[in-house]
mmCIF file of all heavy atoms in Angstrom:
data_model
loop_
_atom_site.group_PDB
_atom_site.id
_atom_site.type_symbol
_atom_site.label_atom_id
_atom_site.label_comp_id
_atom_site.label_asym_id
_atom_site.label_seq_id
_atom_site.Cartn_x
_atom_site.Cartn_y
_atom_site.Cartn_z
ATOM 1 N N SER A 710 -10.040 -2.421 -2.417
ATOM 2 C CA SER A 710 -10.274 -3.510 -1.457
ATOM 3 C C SER A 710 -10.486 -2.970 -0.049
ATOM 4 O O SER A 710 -10.733 -3.748 0.853
ATOM 5 C CB SER A 710 -9.096 -4.468 -1.479
ATOM 6 O OG SER A 710 -7.907 -3.783 -1.144
ATOM 7 N N LYS A 743 -16.516 -9.188 -3.192
ATOM 8 C CA LYS A 743 -15.597 -9.992 -2.408
ATOM 9 C C LYS A 743 -14.877 -9.222 -1.314
ATOM 10 O O LYS A 743 -13.956 -9.708 -0.665
ATOM 11 C CB LYS A 743 -14.542 -10.644 -3.322
ATOM 12 C CG LYS A 743 -15.155 -11.645 -4.279
ATOM 13 C CD LYS A 743 -14.093 -12.328 -5.129
ATOM 14 C CE LYS A 743 -14.686 -13.336 -6.097
ATOM 15 N NZ LYS A 743 -13.632 -13.982 -6.940
ATOM 16 N N ILE A 744 -15.277 -7.971 -1.056
ATOM 17 C CA ILE A 744 -14.637 -7.189 -0.006
ATOM 18 C C ILE A 744 -14.813 -7.883 1.329
ATOM 19 O O ILE A 744 -15.858 -8.497 1.607
ATOM 20 C CB ILE A 744 -15.212 -5.749 0.041
ATOM 21 C CG1 ILE A 744 -14.421 -4.896 1.029
ATOM 22 C CG2 ILE A 744 -16.700 -5.770 0.372
ATOM 23 C CD1 ILE A 744 -14.798 -3.403 0.986
ATOM 24 N N SER A 745 -13.791 -7.838 2.174
ATOM 25 C CA SER A 745 -13.875 -8.509 3.454
ATOM 26 C C SER A 745 -14.895 -7.800 4.347
ATOM 27 O O SER A 745 -15.031 -6.567 4.320
ATOM 28 C CB SER A 745 -12.494 -8.496 4.157
ATOM 29 O OG SER A 745 -12.217 -7.189 4.691
ATOM 30 N N PRO A 746 -15.643 -8.586 5.147
ATOM 31 C CA PRO A 746 -16.627 -7.972 6.055
ATOM 32 C C PRO A 746 -16.042 -6.940 6.982
ATOM 33 O O PRO A 746 -16.671 -5.937 7.338
ATOM 34 C CB PRO A 746 -17.189 -9.164 6.804
ATOM 35 C CG PRO A 746 -16.990 -10.329 5.865
ATOM 36 C CD PRO A 746 -15.683 -10.020 5.175
ATOM 37 N N LYS A 748 -13.444 -4.874 6.451
ATOM 38 C CA LYS A 748 -13.227 -3.620 5.760
ATOM 39 C C LYS A 748 -14.535 -2.926 5.402
ATOM 40 O O LYS A 748 -14.655 -1.714 5.476
ATOM 41 C CB LYS A 748 -12.357 -3.835 4.542
ATOM 42 C CG LYS A 748 -10.900 -4.178 4.897
ATOM 43 C CD LYS A 748 -10.045 -4.379 3.665
ATOM 44 C CE LYS A 748 -8.613 -4.670 4.067
ATOM 45 N NZ LYS A 748 -7.743 -4.945 2.897
ATOM 46 N N THR A 843 1.169 -12.148 -3.821
ATOM 47 C CA THR A 843 0.544 -13.343 -3.239
ATOM 48 C C THR A 843 0.378 -14.446 -4.280
ATOM 49 O O THR A 843 0.521 -14.244 -5.491
ATOM 50 C CB THR A 843 -0.827 -12.988 -2.673
ATOM 51 O OG1 THR A 843 -1.723 -12.659 -3.768
ATOM 52 C CG2 THR A 843 -0.754 -11.838 -1.710
ATOM 53 N N SER A 863 -5.384 -16.324 -1.751
ATOM 54 C CA SER A 863 -4.532 -15.798 -0.678
ATOM 55 C C SER A 863 -5.344 -15.199 0.456
ATOM 56 O O SER A 863 -6.405 -14.599 0.245
ATOM 57 C CB SER A 863 -3.570 -14.726 -1.222
ATOM 58 O OG SER A 863 -2.769 -14.199 -0.184
ATOM 59 N N ILE A 864 -4.835 -15.348 1.662
ATOM 60 C CA ILE A 864 -5.445 -14.738 2.825
ATOM 61 C C ILE A 864 -5.091 -13.264 2.941
ATOM 62 O O ILE A 864 -5.633 -12.554 3.788
ATOM 63 C CB ILE A 864 -5.067 -15.480 4.119
ATOM 64 C CG1 ILE A 864 -3.537 -15.560 4.297
ATOM 65 C CG2 ILE A 864 -5.680 -16.892 4.141
ATOM 66 C CD1 ILE A 864 -3.074 -16.233 5.582
ATOM 67 N N ALA A 865 -4.152 -12.806 2.122
ATOM 68 C CA ALA A 865 -3.793 -11.358 2.066
ATOM 69 C C ALA A 865 -4.641 -10.750 0.953
ATOM 70 O O ALA A 865 -4.285 -10.791 -0.215
ATOM 71 C CB ALA A 865 -2.325 -11.189 1.809
ATOM 72 N N ASP A 866 -5.779 -10.155 1.328
ATOM 73 C CA ASP A 866 -6.788 -9.803 0.331
ATOM 74 C C ASP A 866 -6.623 -8.412 -0.265
ATOM 75 O O ASP A 866 -7.455 -8.008 -1.123
ATOM 76 C CB ASP A 866 -8.191 -9.912 0.939
ATOM 77 C CG ASP A 866 -8.376 -9.033 2.169
ATOM 78 O OD1 ASP A 866 -7.420 -8.334 2.564
ATOM 79 O OD2 ASP A 866 -9.505 -9.026 2.721
ATOM 80 N N ALA A 867 -5.617 -7.653 0.151
ATOM 81 C CA ALA A 867 -5.423 -6.297 -0.410
ATOM 82 C C ALA A 867 -4.623 -6.291 -1.737
ATOM 83 O O ALA A 867 -4.578 -5.277 -2.395
ATOM 84 C CB ALA A 867 -4.725 -5.413 0.612
ATOM 85 N N ILE A 868 -4.076 -7.446 -2.100
ATOM 86 C CA ILE A 868 -3.301 -7.527 -3.344
ATOM 87 C C ILE A 868 -4.263 -8.025 -4.424
ATOM 88 O O ILE A 868 -4.514 -9.246 -4.540
ATOM 89 C CB ILE A 868 -2.091 -8.456 -3.175
ATOM 90 C CG1 ILE A 868 -1.315 -8.111 -1.908
ATOM 91 C CG2 ILE A 868 -1.201 -8.386 -4.419
ATOM 92 C CD1 ILE A 868 -0.811 -6.671 -1.856
ATOM 93 N N VAL A 869 -4.757 -7.090 -5.217
ATOM 94 C CA VAL A 869 -5.843 -7.415 -6.157
ATOM 95 C C VAL A 869 -5.588 -6.923 -7.582
ATOM 96 O O VAL A 869 -6.327 -7.329 -8.496
ATOM 97 C CB VAL A 869 -7.181 -6.864 -5.654
ATOM 98 C CG1 VAL A 869 -7.581 -7.505 -4.345
ATOM 99 C CG2 VAL A 869 -7.128 -5.340 -5.501
ATOM 100 N N THR A 915 -2.547 -10.038 7.784
ATOM 101 C CA THR A 915 -2.024 -10.873 6.707
ATOM 102 C C THR A 915 -1.394 -10.006 5.600
ATOM 103 O O THR A 915 -0.364 -10.409 5.046
ATOM 104 C CB THR A 915 -3.152 -11.734 6.088
ATOM 105 O OG1 THR A 915 -4.243 -10.888 5.742
ATOM 106 C CG2 THR A 915 -3.617 -12.762 7.094
ATOM 107 N N ASN A 916 -1.987 -8.852 5.347
ATOM 108 C CA ASN A 916 -1.436 -7.992 4.298
ATOM 109 C C ASN A 916 -0.100 -7.381 4.738
ATOM 110 O O ASN A 916 0.841 -7.280 3.930
ATOM 111 C CB ASN A 916 -2.444 -6.879 3.948
ATOM 112 C CG ASN A 916 -3.688 -7.454 3.269
ATOM 113 O OD1 ASN A 916 -3.585 -8.117 2.239
ATOM 114 N ND2 ASN A 916 -4.830 -7.232 3.848
ATOM 115 N N LEU A 919 3.017 -9.715 4.470
ATOM 116 C CA LEU A 919 3.635 -9.995 3.187
ATOM 117 C C LEU A 919 5.106 -9.590 3.166
ATOM 118 O O LEU A 919 5.969 -10.324 2.660
ATOM 119 C CB LEU A 919 2.893 -9.263 2.052
ATOM 120 C CG LEU A 919 1.492 -9.775 1.714
ATOM 121 C CD1 LEU A 919 0.859 -8.836 0.707
ATOM 122 C CD2 LEU A 919 1.568 -11.188 1.145
ATOM 123 N N ASP A 945 -4.241 -3.000 7.479
ATOM 124 C CA ASP A 945 -5.123 -4.169 7.162
ATOM 125 C C ASP A 945 -5.266 -4.369 5.670
ATOM 126 O O ASP A 945 -5.586 -5.420 5.205
ATOM 127 C CB ASP A 945 -6.512 -3.939 7.783
ATOM 128 C CG ASP A 945 -6.464 -4.053 9.302
ATOM 129 O OD1 ASP A 945 -5.560 -4.690 9.847
ATOM 130 O OD2 ASP A 945 -7.358 -3.516 9.933
#
Side-chain angles (χ1 to χ4, degrees):
S710 59
K743 295 182 180 180
I744 187 172
S745 75
K748 289 181 178 178
T843 68
S863 179
I864 55 177
D866 59 358
I868 310 303
V869 296
T915 53
N916 293 303
L919 289 173
D945 289 337

